Amino acid sequence: MFGRFCYIVALCATLLLIACVKDDVRRGNDALRIGDYDRAIQNFSKALDVEPANRDARYGLALSYYAVAEEAEHLKTPTFDMWNRTAREFDILSKVDSSGRIDANYSTCLFYLARATMAQNSAANVLPLLDRSIQLDSLNFFSFNLKGLILSERGDKESVENAKKIFIHVVTREPQFISAYVNLGNIYWDEGDIESAWDTWSAGLERSPKNQSLIYWTQVAEDSLKSMVLSGRL
């Protein structure tokens, strides 16, 4: 009889905890929806203290940290710690949610983490972060572009060729990604391939006629080509 009583008490306690977790998740979602991120984090964390593998609480917590970091990014006050914490939450979430619904946000988070890492330590190797970001979202051209920049700055032939391929991939898949035209043209210019530089910058200028960098460098390349023609070098 006593054993049955203990079982009933334990069952009631379990049901109460489950109900509390659901309430915490609900309150967390309500807070997240209206932008009360601190309270959202608090409620999702309470739910996870009871049920660490709760998918909805993990998802809400990751999104809450992401929102805080993104808001700081817009205000130009993000920190490495913010994006690092957010990435850790997404990594944990990926272990309990394989649906893919987090992939785009996780990918963007890793891009920002890579950038924040470089701001903190310019010598840091962030290529693994960018490769993971691209793996999660093949349309994250910001990660492609940053990877191309890093490779181009290494200066060795193989890295520069890989950077070219990346920038060509970006402008082919997303013709409005203007930075890739600038960066690809810069590589051609540094190699002394003035014609390819002009072609690339001109293509970018057609899509962004007011871009000051493209206006300037397209003109510089055009003047250089005219000079080469007049001197007989072209």
Side-chain angles (χ1 to χ4, degrees):
M1 191 71 178
F2 180 73
R4 179 177 175 79
F5 174 76
C6 290
Y7 170 76
I8 293 173
V9 170
L11 179 60
C12 289
T14 299
L15 292 174
L16 181 61
L17 284 174
I18 291 173
C20 288
V21 167
K22 288 183 178 180
D23 285 342
D24 288 333
V25 171
R26 177 184 55 77
R27 283 191 290 266
N29 283 324
D30 287 344
L32 178 59
R33 185 171 59 254
I34 63 174
D36 187 355
Y37 304 128
D38 289 342
R39 189 162 279 106
I41 290 170
Q42 182 182 34
N43 279 282
F44 290 130
S45 296
K46 283 173 63 179
L48 290 169
D49 285 341
V50 178
E51 193 178 329
N54 185 290
R55 184 180 63 180
D56 292 337
R58 283 287 172 198
Y59 187 65
L61 185 61
L63 287 184
S64 298
Y65 278 118
Y66 180 89
V68 171
E70 190 175 45
E71 192 174 75
E73 193 73 38
H74 290 154
L75 295 173
K76 302 190 183 302
T77 58
T79 66
F80 167 81
D81 290 338
M82 281 182 179
W83 286 116
N84 192 43
R85 177 60 187 268
T86 305
R88 288 206 309 270
E89 291 301 332
F90 274 118
D91 182 54
I92 296 170
L93 175 59
S94 69
K95 294 176 173 62
V96 297
D97 185 352
S98 59
S99 66
R101 66 175 178 166
I102 68 168
D103 288 357
N105 285 338
Y106 190 5
S107 174
T108 301
C109 171
L110 291 175
F111 162 74
Y112 281 123
L113 176 58
R115 204 170 68 168
T117 301
M118 291 176 65
Q120 183 171 277
N121 179 6
S122 60
N125 178 20
V126 299
L127 290 182
L129 290 174
L130 295 173
D131 286 339
R132 176 64 173 145
S133 173
I134 291 166
Q135 181 185 33
L136 287 163
D137 183 3
S138 62
L139 298 180
N140 189 337
F141 298 114
F142 290 96
S143 288
F144 274 111
N145 188 61
L146 182 55
K147 180 178 179 179
L149 277 172
I150 292 170
L151 290 174
S152 67
E153 289 173 0
R154 286 184 172 180
D156 63 278
K157 185 174 181 180
E158 182 179 359
S159 294
V160 172
E161 286 302 313
N162 286 333
K164 271 197 230 177
K165 291 176 183 176
I166 288 172
F167 293 134
I168 291 171
H169 171 79
V170 173
V171 299
T172 300
R173 295 288 303 278
E174 181 47 79
Q176 297 303 318
F177 199 97
I178 303 305
S179 294
Y181 293 97
V182 176
N183 296 331
L184 179 59
N186 288 344
I187 291 178
Y188 287 131
W189 179 265
D190 290 341
E191 291 178 336
D193 188 348
I194 310 302
E195 287 184 87
S196 294
W198 182 84
D199 285 341
T200 303
W201 288 331
S202 295
L205 191 58
E206 287 180 7
R207 290 164 175 79
S208 182
K210 295 182 179 181
N211 186 288
Q212 292 302 310
S213 180
L214 287 171
I215 291 172
Y216 175 78
W217 284 107
T218 300
Q219 188 60 55
V220 169
E222 186 173 319
D223 291 344
S224 297
L225 289 173
K226 289 177 181 177
S227 176
M228 292 169 69
V229 169
L230 291 174
S231 66
R233 288 184 293 145
L234 188 66

